[in-house]
Amino acid sequence: MAADPFVVKDIRVEGLQRVEPGTIFSYLPVRVGETFTDDKGADAIRALYNTGFFKDVKVESDGQVLVVRVEERPTLASVDFTGLKEFDKDALKKSLRAAGVADGRYFDKSIIEKAEQELKKQYVSRGFYKAEIKTTVTPVDRNRVAVVFNVEEDEISKIKSISINGLQNFKESALLDEMQLSQGNWLSWYTKNNLYSKQKLVADLESIRSFYLTRGYLEFSIESTQVSISPDKTGIYLSINVKEGVQYKVSSIKLAGELLGKEDDLNKLLQLKPGDIFSSSKLTASTIAMADKLGAYGYAFAAMTPSTDLNKEAQLVDLTLTVDPGKRIYVRKINVTGNNKTRDEVIRREIRQLESSWYDSEKLKLSKDRINRTGHFTEVDISNEEISNSTDQIDVNVKVAEKPTGSLSLGAGFSSTDKLILSAGISQENVFGTGTSLGLNLNTGKTARTLAISSYDPYFTEDGISRFTDIYTRSSMPLYYAGDTQYKVQSTGTNFKLGVPYSEVDRVFFGIGVEQLKMTSSVNTPLAYQEYLREYGETSLNVPLTLGWARDGRDSALIPSRGTYQQVSVELGTSLGDLQFYRAFYQHQYFFPVFKGNVIALNGEVGYGDTYNNKTFPITKNYYVGGIGSVRGYEPGSLGPQTSQVYPGTSIPTGVTSPTGGSSKLVLNGEYTFPVPGSGVDKTLRLFGFVDAGNVFDGTIELSQLRKSYGFGLSWISPLGPLKFSYALPLNSKPEDRLQRFQFQIGTAF
């Protein structure tokens, strides 16, 4: 009803329960002393409704008093679910809260209906096409309601068949192998590859298209796709209709555009040649390689635009790559992020790209590899960021994801021989974020006791000279369990080593050490150790010099996927001590990616030792082989020559033997590593299969005596550090060999 305008002398609000009166006054278009009209009344009602706080609003007059009567919407007292199995209740509550459905929010039927539909979509995305969701709204006290989403998940819908029609040159199975979606297999419970997803289908269609373009079918097209569901909504049927076309060969390929005088260099990067079957993957690889080449000269945004000219009758294609280098770019700033613990300088000292200099893609790639080789990070990403109002400058962003670099171990045990055993160890590869490693190891066992402190500083000097030092005292009674309580080896010493870089991947090492070795024995001590005592005495001093070289071309020290690693070392016992010997060691590792996170890794190690004073090679310097890290499936250090214990006061063997190691060794390893199915290309959790071979020898290496094994395992970059578990099956073990099929290690690649 229309009302005559009047001057407002007072404003009265009725019906409020939770909303403050001030909120009402802030939305009213009229104040005390102003004239109220019908238009202002309509504006007031509209404004108060739009707040969402009220389900009924009335504006009336009582004389010259403006009366605002409201009825508040009920609030949500609680939001709950019943019948949930597929989803986590807390995760769903969190997503609904973002949509406005949460405890304490105002009840709005339309929002609840939208939330219900969104939950339905979530179930459909996981293949639950029969899922039903019904919402119950129950009034409670103080103008509140309780909302319960009642879920009936029912049976999950699975892909029953995938058919690809129109094939002439390839088998359907070859194309199905390119797809993520499938009819399912024994791993589908984990990979979920038999559950339909529109996003996966789009990706699969692109994979099929890429399959044909890589093989020269330039006119290939996907005519249509049909997705149907069975009447009971438990089965999904996919039908893909394709037109293959014909296969094209390259008749010519040329470069055009601004070549900057680098035409010869760019032509060398072309992977397609006249006469080759056209391949989109080779064309893409060529354009990426050329863009990287121009990036090394400062052209960060170089673009290669391919164009094709088809001769359909001859089934030939002429290719033209138009090069647009763009402007030469400077790097304004380098930003480092993600290093919550590691200091910026630890990362920046590995970066070879300089600020305020020309952009260089090769230096940035090298920088990424060097940062990865520190071993402190699980991920390293380098990206470019354009600067507004500048056409010749960019910022480079280096983003890292740190891995746990410290570990603490505490242990206690009891045995009939060692009694109470206490052990503790602490190591930190990145002390206070400086990149320096520090370790302390303590063991109180009766047969093996250790106290060792070690430190490694990769940047002992600003020029990148590294320093390694350790101080240790160790004692072992390896024959204690066999009844020889007198045999004991006590070693105390220190080592100091410097590593000098002379290229981005090469480093030479120089070191010196001092070690005092003390050995006690009894009449039960095996013959090999008694012979050592006769030659060198119970106490001996060793002052070794070490020389070495290492070349690290891996893309990561923690999780390598490509590149090589080599090291050579020579340890020489000098005449300053009692042990005059030499030991030479060479190792070569090779990593190369296969596809989608699959990596083949090869490792070879060879060592040889001898004396230069006509004495027997000291048994304390022998190599040991066996166990994870060398030949899996055999007890650690158990392969190779054995020594027999003797009856007291005689040289008659008792039949009890112990491994003594050998002066030479050969170890060969091969691993095929791949991500856990369903984890994408996650690098932190991987499966692997392996083949090992190796042994130690007294002198000449005999290939016929190599022990071999094969098996499988799991590697995990855990909060405790890199863990590796393996199960091995020996191939040619001998009766005297000591087998240990399941083994684990906290350590690195091999």
Side-chain angles (χ1 to χ4, degrees), residues 349-405:
R349 66 194 183 191
E350 306 296 341
I351 296 175
R352 294 303 181 255
Q353 171 72 60
L354 300 178
E355 294 179 334
S356 301
S357 67
W358 293 118
Y359 175 90
D360 190 328
S361 58
E362 292 183 354
K363 288 184 177 179
L364 285 173
K365 181 180 178 297
L366 175 61
S367 301
K368 181 178 180 179
D369 288 346
R370 288 186 63 88
I371 296 171
N372 266 317
R373 286 198 289 265
T374 64
H376 303 328
F377 311 102
T378 57
E379 295 288 342
V380 178
D381 179 66
I382 296 181
S383 60
N384 303 327
E385 181 181 347
E386 295 186 44
I387 301 171
S388 58
N389 303 322
S390 177
T391 59
D392 63 350
Q393 292 186 93
I394 62 169
D395 287 344
V396 172
N397 297 321
V398 180
K399 184 178 181 181
V400 300
E402 294 178 318
K403 80 174 183 71
T405 54

Side-chain angles (χ1 to χ4, degrees), residues 93-203:
K93 283 187 174 182
K94 185 177 181 180
S95 64
L96 289 180
R97 186 179 296 112
V101 181
D103 299 357
R105 301 284 182 89
Y106 282 95
F107 173 75
D108 187 325
K109 186 177 180 180
S110 63
I111 293 179
I112 296 297
E113 290 175 350
K114 288 181 181 179
E116 186 178 303
Q117 293 303 313
E118 181 59 31
L119 290 175
K120 176 72 173 176
K121 289 180 181 179
Q122 293 287 334
Y123 272 98
V124 169
S125 69
R126 295 201 181 186
F128 289 86
Y129 286 86
K130 296 180 69 177
E132 295 290 339
I133 300 173
K134 297 180 180 179
T135 306
T136 302
V137 181
T138 306
V140 295
D141 59 343
R142 293 182 293 143
N143 194 28
R144 299 182 301 161
V145 294
V147 175
V148 178
F149 294 95
N150 303 289
V151 181
E152 294 181 12
E153 294 183 343
D154 214 316
E155 185 178 351
I156 192 169
S157 306
K158 298 178 182 178
I159 296 174
K160 297 298 183 181
S161 74
I162 301 176
S163 61
I164 303 177
N165 307 311
L167 299 179
Q168 295 178 346
N169 300 293
F170 297 97
K171 293 182 179 180
E172 186 179 61
S173 58
L175 297 178
L176 292 177
D177 288 341
E178 298 295 313
M179 300 177 63
Q180 300 178 59
L181 297 176
S182 76
Q183 294 174 215
N185 52 38
W186 65 277
L187 268 178
S188 294
W189 63 272
Y190 180 76
T191 62
K192 311 295 184 185
N193 59 353
N194 61 341
L195 303 183
Y196 172 74
S197 164
K198 185 177 181 180
Q199 292 79 7
K200 285 185 179 180
L201 178 59
V202 171

Side-chain angles (χ1 to χ4, degrees), residues 695-733:
N695 211 333
V696 292
F697 310 89
D698 277 332
T700 305
I701 293 175
E702 301 178 34
L703 297 180
S704 62
Q705 296 301 313
L706 294 181
R707 296 294 190 269
K708 306 176 184 69
S709 66
Y710 71 99
F712 59 90
L714 171 74
S715 60
W716 175 33
I717 307 300
S718 75
L720 296 176
L723 293 177
K724 184 172 262 191
F725 303 87
S726 68
Y727 184 83
L729 296 172
L731 284 171
N732 61 338
S733 61

Side-chain angles (χ1 to χ4, degrees), residues 530-537 578 613-618:
Q530 292 187 28
E531 291 173 1
Y532 171 86
L533 289 169
R534 281 194 293 269
E535 280 194 280
Y536 294 98
D578 302 312
N613 61 354
N614 296 321
K615 288 188 177 182
T616 305
F617 188 79

Side-chain angles (χ1 to χ4, degrees), residues 469-472 492-496 512-515:
T469 56
D470 73 336
I471 302 174
Y472 61 88
T492 302
T494 182
N495 290 294
F496 180 82
I512 188 171
V514 178
E515 179 185 45

Side-chain angles (χ1 to χ4, degrees), residues 629-666:
S630 57
V631 184
R632 286 159 281 201
Y634 300 87
E635 285 189 10
S638 65
L639 291 179
Q642 306 280 322
T643 184
S644 296
Q645 293 189 58
V646 295
Y647 289 106
T650 72
S651 59
I652 302 174
T654 63
V656 179
T657 62
S658 299
T660 61
S663 60
S664 60
K665 77 168 184 175
L666 176 64

Side-chain angles (χ1 to χ4, degrees), residues 384-458:
N384 303 327
E385 181 181 347
E386 295 186 44
I387 301 171
S388 58
N389 303 322
S390 177
T391 59
D392 63 350
Q393 292 186 93
I394 62 169
D395 287 344
V396 172
N397 297 321
V398 180
K399 184 178 181 181
V400 300
E402 294 178 318
K403 80 174 183 71
T405 54
S407 64
L408 173 66
S409 62
L410 298 172
F414 186 86
S415 71
S416 59
T417 54
D418 274 355
K419 306 304 180 185
L420 181 63
I421 306 170
L422 298 176
S423 63
I426 183 171
S427 64
Q428 175 57 258
E429 297 176 18
N430 191 6
V431 178
F432 307 120
T434 61
T436 300
S437 300
L438 183 65
L440 171 66
N441 185 263
L442 173 67
N443 189 299
T444 66
K446 183 174 292 187
T447 61
R449 295 182 178 181
T450 301
L451 175 61
I453 301 174
S454 60
S455 173
Y456 174 70
D457 185 353

